[in-house]
Amino acid sequence: MSTVLAFAGSNSSISINYKFVQYTAGLVDGNDIRVLNLANFPFPLYSYDEEKNNGFVNSLVELNSEIKAAKGLIIGVNEHNSNPSSYFKNLLDWLSRVDKNFLADTKILLLSTSPGKRGGSSALETIENLLPRFGAEIVATFSLPSFNENFEESKGIVDDELAKKHQEALSIFLAKLS
């Protein structure tokens, strides 16, 4: 049994990417899975001066420890103006200061969604190219377009073809954890 940590790179209390991560985590069997709501993890804006004067906040150190303990991560990449949110980029900046290779030997499933037809794919691509710099192995990705039309909280992904592609990405990820 592997430990999987799941979260969205969003600090919004109404994040659709967090809802999508929760749904995906609910499909994981045979692994110890923990879902984190990063809306509960406030971090100051990264700067060298902030780090020098105040060091690392406890929640950052704890999150880094949880990431290190996990064999795999399911990450929902939220999109603001075709890029990852400033919150998520800030989080990555802080984590990389605690340990440059904070994702070493970690298998990752990247997800994204948005209300638009591209489903956050621009932000997902940016993060897909960035995370290997910190040691991550991106094993699968999935972008869900038009969240409000293709997802219902009580049912999940309502489009059969999209549901199949999502399940395929999740299966690839879970197989890599074995």
Side-chain angles (χ1 to χ4, degrees):
M1 178 185 298
S2 297
T3 300
V4 177
L5 189 62
F7 58 87
S10 174
N11 61 345
S12 170
S13 64
I14 58 168
S15 170
I16 61 175
N17 278 280
Y18 180 67
K19 289 177 184 178
F20 190 36
V21 164
Q22 284 182 298
Y23 165 73
T24 302
L27 300 175
V28 174
D29 290 326
N31 291 283
D32 178 27
I33 188 152
R34 179 141 190 257
V35 180
L36 295 179
N37 185 347
L38 293 187
N40 300 320
F41 288 77
F43 301 107
L45 186 61
Y46 180 80
S47 74
Y48 174 78
D49 293 333
E50 178 69 28
E51 179 184 347
K52 181 178 141 194
N53 294 331
N54 300 311
F56 303 122
V57 296
N58 287 340
S59 57
L60 179 71
V61 174
E62 291 168 9
L63 178 58
N64 183 62
S65 294
E66 289 199 53
I67 289 171
K68 289 267 188 215
K71 182 158 186 176
L73 301 178
I74 298 173
I75 301 175
V77 180
N78 60 325
E79 185 175 83
H80 293 175
N81 299 317
S82 300
N83 284 294
S85 69
S86 56
Y87 174 82
F88 191 40
K89 174 63 170 76
N90 185 56
L91 174 62
L92 296 175
D93 290 342
W94 275 111
L95 287 167
S96 71
R97 294 299 295 169
V98 172
D99 177 2
K100 175 72 173 166
N101 290 311
F102 70 96
L103 294 173
D105 303 317
T106 305
K107 313 286 190 248
I108 297 183
L109 168 60
L110 285 180
L111 305 172
S112 68
T113 191
S114 76
K117 293 180 182 178
R118 297 197 61 222
S121 59
S122 294
L124 185 142
E125 184 179 320
T126 298
I127 295 300
E128 183 178 12
N129 290 324
L130 178 63
L131 293 186
R133 295 178 185 177
F134 307 119
E137 180 185 346
I138 309 298
V139 297
T141 65
F142 177 79
S143 175
L144 178 67
S146 305
F147 180 81
N148 297 322
E149 289 82 38
N150 289 316
F151 189 88
E152 293 179 17
E153 287 190 47
S154 61
K155 296 179 184 178
I157 300 172
V158 295
D159 178 278
D160 291 340
E161 188 60 32
L162 289 171
K164 180 180 175 188
K165 289 179 180 179
H166 174 256
Q167 185 58 54
E168 289 170 0
L170 181 58
S171 295
I172 291 167
F173 169 69
L174 293 174
K176 289 285 191 170
L177 295 180
S178 302

